[in-house]
Amino acid sequence: MMRPLTMRSWLATTLVTALLAVAIWPDPGQSLPQGAPETVCDTMLPFHAGGSVLPQNSVSPFSVETSSSTLGQGQTLRVDLTGVPAGLSFGGYMIQARNRNPPHQIIGQFGPARDGTIKLMNCENSVNNSATHSNAGPKQQVILEWQSPVDFLGQVVFNATIAQSYNEFWVGVPSQPVQIVRRDLSAAPPLPTQSPSATAGTTRAPYVPPSYVAPNNVVAVSSDPIYNGCGQSKNCFGFPDGCVATKSCTSITVVTVRGDVFEFEIQSGKGTNAAYVAVGLSDDAKMGDDLTTECVPENGRVNLYSSLTSASPYSAVRSSVNQNSARLLDASIVDGVIYCRVQRDAVTNVQGRSFDLRNGKYHLLVASGTSLKENSVGYHDIGRLPSAQPISLAEVQDLSGSSRLLIQLHGAFMIAAWIGTTSLGIIFARYFKQTWVGSQSCGKDQWFAWHRLLMVTTWSLTVAAYVLIWVELKRAVWHAHSIIGLITVILCFLQPIGALFRPGPNDKKRPYFNWGHWLGGNLAHILGIVTIFFSVKLPKAELPEWMDWILVSFVVVHVLVHLIFSIGGMASERHLSQRANTFQMGDMSHHQQHAMRNGMSMERKMDAPYAGMRKGLLGVYGVVLVLFVTVLILLVVLAPIEQYLGKS
């Protein structure tokens, strides 16, 4: 079959044909004995007598017929090359099946003939995707077996070059389109046998290079068939939540139960670049101790694995599960969309526990990701979603995703507290005691009023966030994030209690309190930020790994601001010291000393030098801090953020 041509005259096609330099049948008396060479895979054009013999422009007396108009992926059909009327013989031929739609690549494989009368060809670096004659003797019929690929859905058209004699050959003799569908949807009724009179050459239109425009009588598939019967005959669940109703899931699983037969269909979304798609059966809608079914494309085919997940650290261990507990019934990968249909045993025993699909109730947990580990799937960076309620798989119902609201609020509150209010509160306490001197709020100096307000906010947000995560988890989970976080919460809780017992300004114990309060606050701040770093790795948080770099950027900015404030504070102290040393009290008269004391008293009621610089830097830092907090909270609330970035 020729590649599709734009609208050109037949004369232009003839001129292009005359320039071809490869012969299929060079001998003037017969076709090429060993069949067509692979140098003509693209054009299928013979080069008889140096190009002086051109293809026939009349109706071809030969036809290409298929045994079915519909075929499942990986299945086989019969292709016949025959003369019309029957009994008309031909010598050489070449045949291919090509995608009816651009880019019209060669599709599928031909099988060898038992009698050796068919020579298979390797075109476009693929094996056995074209066929030609192995002998040039006359033949009235050629029967070929063709297998469709497992990773293609759509229409194919068989095209053949057929030579009746040296001077008479037809190029691009087409078959009727064959629709390739998923194997479970295929129905392959044989084409009705037509009488010679019904297919006589006079009733057929002359051959024109195919334009691959679908005919009006071909009905396009309006939606993905995986959604057919959802909520009626099978359970369907996917993410994002609510995608089943709109038939737009990024990943989806479908469960069909017939007696003791439990079938799972799993499919990734188009354009997600998924390296795997999986579904887990979970007791608690949380990652860990889940029986997982994974569909993973490897080496051109989709493989099935079963695994048991672990939450801390995240892993999916295949060695824990008998791989014979599930069987792959059908699979494909088309345009990056992974699909598989799997039958699982009704009961699977894993490490002393039993997953009983007949009697148990489980959350469905759908996940997909773009990376693989050795003998395991990678992190589900495309997304994951557990169903809101555990279900009996045999009960057909509409499913919704579990809420992540408490997790989102926990993360947002902790970020606002330890990145936002704590950072700003420490700045006020450390660098602004000699700024806004004489100005008060609620009877307290400005620096203290702001410090207290910000730290009370930190305390409130931290306690609320800790209560929320306990309500969500309902149990203790120990890992680096939870352990360091608990220490942070304890320190945060004790700080205001210690402040209630603050000694007076002139009390000899006041320095000990100051050092203890300073140490407790700064240690809690450091541990709080470290805890947020550890949250990035938590599967339940679904945060992107590059969030670490945002946190690192915040730490760098925070340290630089402290450094600038410290340098400014030292400059201010030096300036005050120089002013004091200008006057030597011993050299002054009584009147001068009295005036000096009055001046120093007035000076203590004024801002320390460089107050304008401190206020300006505080304003800039405040704006930058708000930006950091906003971005980090958005990453938490919109997690996994990849599902939104992928749509842009």
Side-chain angles (χ1 to χ4, degrees):
M1 183 191 86
M2 293 177 61
R3 288 186 180 271
L5 302 176
T6 56
M7 295 302 294
R8 296 183 179 128
S9 65
W10 181 251
L11 177 59
T13 304
T14 303
L15 292 174
V16 172
T17 302
L19 296 176
L20 296 172
V22 181
I24 296 181
W25 299 287
D27 191 303
Q30 60 180 6
S31 302
L32 188 65
Q34 300 301 319
E38 293 178 359
T39 51
V40 297
C41 286
D42 189 46
T43 64
M44 300 180 69
L45 287 168
F47 190 65
H48 288 187
S52 60
V53 180
L54 302 178
Q56 296 296 306
N57 193 24
S58 60
V59 174
S60 171
F62 304 100
S63 66
V64 180
E65 305 291 346
T66 59
S67 61
S68 174
S69 60
T70 306
L71 189 68
Q73 293 172 315
Q75 293 183 335
T76 302
L77 58 70
R78 193 181 82 175
V79 183
D80 292 358
L81 305 182
T82 58
V84 182
L88 186 65
S89 63
F90 56 94
Y93 68 90
M94 179 179 175
I95 185 170
Q96 297 173 341
R98 284 187 179 260
N99 186 352
R100 196 163 187 251
N101 297 312
H104 312 302
Q105 71 273 25
I106 305 174
I107 295 294
Q109 291 184 340
F110 287 95
R114 294 181 180 179
D115 57 5
T117 57
I118 298 173
K119 176 185 174 182
L120 301 181
M121 304 171 63
N122 303 329
C123 294
E124 296 183 354
N125 298 318
S126 297
V127 178
N128 300 341
N129 59 3
S130 303
T132 186
H133 58 279
S134 61
N135 67 79
K139 50 190 74 68
Q140 297 180 357
Q141 183 182 34
V142 173
I143 300 176
L144 304 102
E145 296 291 329
W146 180 82
Q147 183 180 27
S148 65
V150 297
D151 58 352
F152 175 81
L153 292 172
Q155 287 189 331
V156 300
V157 175
F158 292 89
N159 271 250
T161 293
I162 303 177
Q164 185 175 16
S165 65
Y166 173 74
N167 293 320
E168 294 180 293
F169 57 89
W170 289 261
V171 176
V173 180
S175 70
Q176 292 296 316
V178 176
Q179 184 76 39
I180 308 300
V181 299
R182 287 203 180 102
R183 185 180 301 179
D184 58 325
L185 299 177
S186 63
L191 292 177
T193 303
Q194 295 178 317
S195 64
S197 60
T199 58
T202 56
T203 64
R204 299 178 62 181
Y207 167 73
V208 176
S211 62
Y212 297 98
V213 176
N216 294 330
N217 61 348
V218 175
V219 179
V221 179
S222 59
S223 62
D224 193 324
I226 198 170
Y227 296 98
N228 295 340
C230 284
Q232 300 173 350
S233 60
K234 56 188 182 183
N235 283 312
C236 303
F237 179 65
F239 68 82
D241 195 19
C243 66
V244 174
T246 58
K247 300 181 180 181
S248 59
C249 292
T250 301
S251 292
I252 183 175
T253 186
V254 172
V255 184
T256 305
V257 180
R258 296 186 295 272
D260 280 347
V261 178
F262 294 84
E263 286 188 3
F264 294 78
E265 293 177 82
I266 318 171
Q267 182 174 287
S268 66
K270 191 171 184 179
T272 60
N273 297 317
Y276 73 90
V277 61
V279 59
L281 299 175
S282 175
D283 290 327
D284 54 7
K286 298 174 177 62
M287 190 70 73
D289 297 326
D290 310 319
L291 178 61
T292 304
T293 304
E294 309 165 1
C295 295
V296 184
E298 295 173 318
N299 301 321
R301 57 178 295 177
V302 178
N303 291 326
L304 167 68
Y305 298 101
S306 297
S307 63
L308 186 70
T309 63
S310 171
S312 180
Y314 173 76
S315 62
V317 183
R318 296 170 181 170
S319 59
S320 302
V321 185
N322 181 2
Q323 296 302 310
N324 294 325
S325 61
R327 292 156 296 284
L328 185 62
L329 304 179
D330 193 12
S332 65
I333 177 168
V334 181
D335 294 334
V337 176
I338 306 169
Y339 168 84
C340 66
R341 184 163 60 94
V342 178
Q343 181 179 333
R344 292 210 66 93
D345 289 347
V347 179
T348 302
N349 295 311
V350 184
Q351 295 184 344
R353 61 171 302 183
S354 178
F355 290 88
D356 187 348
L357 307 190
R358 285 185 297 244
N359 304 311
K361 290 188 175 183
Y362 300 97
H363 293 266
L364 294 176
L365 201 160
V366 183
S368 59
T370 59
S371 64
L372 299 174
K373 300 178 181 178
E374 185 176 1
N375 298 321
S376 176
V377 297
Y379 178 66
H380 43 75
D381 53 349
I382 295 176
R384 66 175 278 277
L385 183 68
S387 59
Q389 301 295 331
I391 66 166
S392 171
L393 299 183
E395 295 181 11
V396 178
Q397 54 195 284
D398 293 326
L399 301 177
S400 60
S402 63
S403 173
R404 299 184 69 252
L405 178 61
L406 296 184
I407 296 174
Q408 293 168 339
L409 289 175
H410 169 80
F413 285 0
M414 287 300 193
I415 287 172
W418 295 102
I419 301 293
T421 56
T422 302
S423 301
L424 202 56
I426 290 175
I427 293 289
F428 271 101
R430 185 172 300 177
Y431 304 110
F432 283 83
K433 291 179 180 179
Q434 294 300 317
T435 309
W436 293 299
V437 174
S439 174
Q440 291 188 336
S441 178
C442 300
K444 299 294 182 180
D445 290 343
Q446 288 290 353
W447 74 267
F448 184 80
W450 281 103
H451 172 74
R452 184 173 59 181
L453 174 63
L454 291 167
M455 290 311 181
V456 168
T457 304
T458 294
W459 189 90
S460 303
L461 289 172
T462 301
V463 172
Y466 198 68
V467 170
L468 288 173
I469 202 62
W470 268 101
V471 172
E472 169 67 18
L473 297 179
K474 298 181 177 66
R475 59 188 175 96
V477 178
W478 299 113
H479 41 62
H481 175 79
S482 61
I483 294 172
I484 301 175
L486 177 60
I487 297 173
T488 304
V489 171
I490 292 173
L491 290 172
C492 174
F493 192 81
L494 293 176
Q495 280 292 95
I497 295 176
L500 294 177
F501 300 95
R502 179 175 61 247
N506 298 320
D507 194 298
K508 63 180 181 179
K509 296 180 181 179
R510 183 59 179 259
Y512 298 105
F513 167 82
N514 290 341
W515 278 104
H517 192 69
W518 173 88
L519 180 63
N522 282 277
L523 183 60
H525 188 214
I526 293 171
L527 292 179
I529 295 173
V530 171
T531 303
I532 295 173
F533 267 100
F534 277 110
S535 71
V536 176
K537 299 296 183 182
L538 294 177
K540 200 169 192 59
E542 299 183 304
L543 298 171
E545 292 187 2
W546 46 265
M547 179 174 166
D548 281 338
W549 293 107
I550 299 178
L551 292 171
V552 169
S553 300
F554 160 73
V555 171
V556 171
V557 170
H558 187 69
V559 170
L560 285 176
V561 168
H562 271 277
L563 183 62
I564 296 172
F565 272 125
S566 297
I567 294 173
M570 289 187 293
S572 177
E573 291 291 335
R574 184 178 180 183
H575 185 79
L576 288 174
S577 177
Q578 288 175 345
R579 292 172 63 181
N581 291 334
T582 302
F583 301 94
Q584 298 297 324
M585 299 295 292
D587 298 332
M588 297 180 184
S589 65
H590 177 76
H591 177 75
Q592 290 173 324
Q593 291 180 13
H594 179 73
M596 182 63 187
R597 290 190 188 99
N598 289 337
M600 292 178 67
S601 176
M602 290 296 295
E603 191 172 72
R604 283 195 293 269
K605 296 181 181 180
M606 298 174 59
D607 286 359
Y610 310 116
M613 180 275 292
R614 290 193 297 276
K615 294 175 183 178
L617 182 59
L618 177 67
V620 173
Y621 179 66
V623 171
V624 173
L625 202 60
V626 168
L627 291 177
F628 272 115
V629 170
T630 301
V631 170
L632 291 170
I633 288 179
L634 285 176
L635 290 178
V636 170
V637 173
L638 300 179
I641 194 66
E642 288 82 359
Q643 64 183 324
Y644 299 98
L645 298 179
K647 294 177 182 179
S648 59

